[in-house]
Amino acid sequence: MRGVLRRLSWGLADQAVTSMVSFVVGIVVARSLGALEFGAFSLAWVTYGVVVNISRGLATDPLAVRFSGVSRALWRPAVASASGMAIAVGLGTGAICVAAGLALGGKPGAAFVALGVVLPALTLQDSWRFAFFTSGQGGKAFISDITWAIALVPLLYLASHRASVTMFVLAWGAAGAFAAVVSGLQAGILPRLFRARLWFTQHRDLSLRYLAENLTISSAYQLRMYGLGAFAGIAAVGTVRGAEMLLGPFFIVLSGVGLVAVPEAARVLRRSVKKLRTFCLLLGGAQATAALIWGLALILLLPHEWGHKLLGEVWNSAEALLLPATLSVMNASFYTGAAAGLRALGVARRSLRAQLWASAAYLVGGVTGGALGGAEGSAWGSACATLVGAIVWWVYLRAGIRERLQAEAQAEALPYVAEVGTDREEMPEMRST
């Protein structure tokens, strides 16, 4: 239990820094650029989320499943290959972002061009974080993100003097690049870009499904934002993002627990399949409770003046979205617990199906709500959709646990069947004697 709490503490501390970086960057950009340009920045931000999920599906998710807690001799070459895959993803998607930005033009186009330049460094830095957690070195992941946060201070200050979407994206990315270098020095491992193809070949059975799973949820979020922008305008995108930012401190808990959830669920599974369901329920319930407490504190206790000081003009429209945003995070908390259980079981087929259904519901709810009621309608549509998603995830987790129990029961019965079969074969010989 002490080891679990220690690993969980590092996960929470690391995610606290990451969430604070996101929160501070969002606040600075929102106050410096206004709703329209902040909307363009938000589109680049959610695109970064899609790319990171692609990188995790191909690189660090297989690493977490197959190399958590292994010897250093196995971990080091695996990390070198996985980090090389992360760089490859950043290079490929970065080139696409630059091309799309040049074609798009305007402020959104400038944001995408700048994002494409910094993506390889950002995907590499994210891969180091997960590599450290797979080996129980959460402290090194914490140092990596602290480095990012410290480097951001002077870079954001410089960017604010020439405030533009491009300058803020480059400042954020340059700080991430510095943190990636520090992480590599901590690990003492050189990423092997040319091993990316071999890594994919060796782990394609997991990586393709995890890629599809990660891509569906992040793409659903991105498409929801694009759809909201198309139906209600770019400013509505900034409004939704502003409400989500106020829940940022809670994401410290949600994402911090998520960093260690799969390895811990795998440890519980090794002890008892039946205890996995209880673990996932406690995990999701604790996160949902934290989300409710934080959301109610914002709704009931945050003065209007403070909100305006935090978000500027974005606050005027974002305030009404706090309740549905809180409900969305509560519902999502329950299915992150179920997702950890399914990944620990290694049933990528079931987790992919659950993610597809949940993502489809989220996209339909968010876009339909946006078309009918703008930013507020999109927020309520997403809240209803995440409830549907939570139910779907738990149905698939229950099926996965039942399948594992049946497999174990059959495995335990095999020695008995073999023994009985041997006795029956010996009976004629005994009679003849």
Side-chain angles (χ1 to χ4, degrees), residues 235-254:
V237 176
T239 297
V240 171
R241 175 63 185 152
E244 292 173 346
M245 281 169 47
L246 292 174
L247 289 165
F250 165 71
F251 284 108
I252 295 172
V253 178
L254 183 65

Side-chain angles (χ1 to χ4, degrees), residues 102-172:
L102 292 174
L104 187 61
K107 297 185 185 302
F112 277 103
V113 170
L115 177 65
V117 172
V118 299
L119 271 177
L122 295 178
T123 53
L124 175 61
Q125 193 273 341
D126 186 76
S127 74
W128 287 127
R129 294 175 64 224
F130 279 80
F132 289 138
F133 278 109
T134 60
S135 62
Q137 302 180 83
K140 292 184 177 180
F142 177 76
I143 291 174
S144 174
D145 285 320
I146 279 288
T147 302
W148 192 347
I150 293 173
L152 264 173
V153 175
L155 290 172
L156 284 179
Y157 176 78
L158 293 174
S160 65
H161 281 70
R162 299 179 58 186
S164 68
V165 173
T166 298
M167 293 302 297
F168 279 117
V169 173
L170 289 177
W172 162 53

Side-chain angles (χ1 to χ4, degrees), residues 126 189 194 224 288 404:
D126 186 76
I189 300 172
F194 295 104
R224 174 205 171 190
R404 175 61 68 90

